[in-house]
Structures are given as C-alpha cells and as structure tokens.
Amino acid sequence: MRPVYLIGFMGSGKSSVGKMCAGQLSVPFIDTDTLVEQKAQQSISDIFAEQGEDRFRDIETAVLQNISREPSIIATGGGIVERERNQKIMDENGVVIYLHADFATIANRLQVDSSRPLWNQDLQKRHALYEQRLPVYRRWGQHVIETDDKGLEETVQTIMNVIKQV
Ligand code: S3P
C-alpha cells in the first residue's frame, strides 16, 4: 500500500475519516496540520498571526515533503492546493483522494471555528476561497468521493474500497 493523501476544504472530514481508515488498515494516521504545529512549536492561528500565511505554506510543504513513504493515511490541510509543488509531492508518492462536501455542508459543520484563520473571516471571503479551490481539488484528486449524502462510516467504506483497488 502506498501512502494515501486526503485532500479537501476545511471541514470536509479528512481527519475524522482518515483516523478511522488508518485504524481499520492498522497503518499510522498523519495530520499535516499537527506536524506543522510541532515543527513551528506554535498553533496554526499563531503562525498565521505572527509569521503570516506564506510562512505557514512553506512549513506545510516542508512537512509534506518529509513525511515517510511508508503505508499511512495522511490528512492534509485544506490549503495544500495553494502550492503547485505539493501536487507533485503527493502524486509521486501516493494516492490522492479528494473528499468533496458542498459549501453548505461545510458551513454547517464548522459554524464558528476560531482555530482556522481562513474560516474565521467573513462569509463572502470564505465562500470565494471555496469556489476558487473547488476546481483545483477536483483536478488534483486522483479519486473523488462525494461526502454530502454519506455518513462517516459510509465515507470510510468508500475510501477503503478505493484503497483496495489501487
Ligand atoms: C487551511 C486549512 C486548515 C489549516 C489552516 C489553513 C486552509 O486545515 O491547514 O488553518 O488554508 O484551508 P484543515 O483543512 O484541516 O482545517
């Protein structure tokens, strides 16, 4: 099994379903946001506030580059698609699965969330960011999973089926 990278907008369920898939497969679950925070020794909000988004993206790419190529499930940050280089890293090393959720679903899940600086802005900006990234997620995803009409278990099962086939 090659590493599986889950991509998608904030709140698309990458971490929750990723943990469950990793558990079922008995492989490590890796979260790029956690690795960024460990590397920077700061929370994501503080990195954005004190060092800026560009620096956050630099750390994120460094982290992605250094993740082991052993079998694992990797939840990436929603903005992983902001740097072209990240696509190359993921394509070369593993399977990229896009978890799609409609904006309304995401807005409903996240509501008020102060831990995500790019969600913590006005509705128009959040929506514009979503619209801007949507085609990129669809392009980068080697497999696309529609999650709106699925519960957690069903999404996990769909991912497991994809993994079994690759
Ligand atoms: C971001 C998504 C977050 C985190 C950071 C930036 C983004 O990850 O990396 O707040 O640009 O969409 P999640 O997708 O896990 O929330």
Side-chain angles (χ1 to χ4, degrees), residues 57-160:
R57 299 290 168 214
D58 289 344
I59 304 171
E60 186 173 53
T61 297
V63 153
L64 189 68
Q65 178 73 63
N66 287 328
I67 291 172
S68 136
R69 309 313 185 211
E70 297 297 310
S72 58
I73 305 286
I74 301 155
T76 62
I80 208 81
V81 291
E82 296 287 344
R83 291 261 171 105
E84 283 293 322
R85 164 128 192 77
N86 297 338
Q87 181 185 26
K88 191 162 183 280
I89 297 170
M90 294 191 286
D91 266 346
E92 280 177 355
N93 295 300
V95 181
V96 182
I97 300 180
Y98 166 44
L99 298 185
H100 174 81
D102 288 342
F103 186 76
T105 307
I106 283 167
N108 194 35
R109 280 193 200 143
L110 292 181
Q111 304 204 358
V112 180
D113 181 330
S114 55
S115 70
R116 294 175 166 100
L118 295 179
W119 185 256
N120 201 8
Q121 51 183 353
D122 68 55
L123 180 63
Q124 213 180 340
K125 285 192 180 145
R126 294 174 194 172
H127 194 250
L129 186 66
Y130 177 87
E131 289 291 323
Q132 174 200 315
R133 287 182 181 170
L134 200 58
V136 191
Y137 292 131
R138 290 211 179 267
R139 199 168 63 241
W140 286 27
Q142 299 162 3
H143 304 269
V144 177
I145 296 177
E146 306 291 335
T147 68
D148 286 298
D149 54 348
K150 294 185 182 68
L152 221 56
E153 298 281 349
E154 203 185 334
T155 302
V156 169
Q157 216 34 63
T158 313
I159 296 174
M160 297 294 282

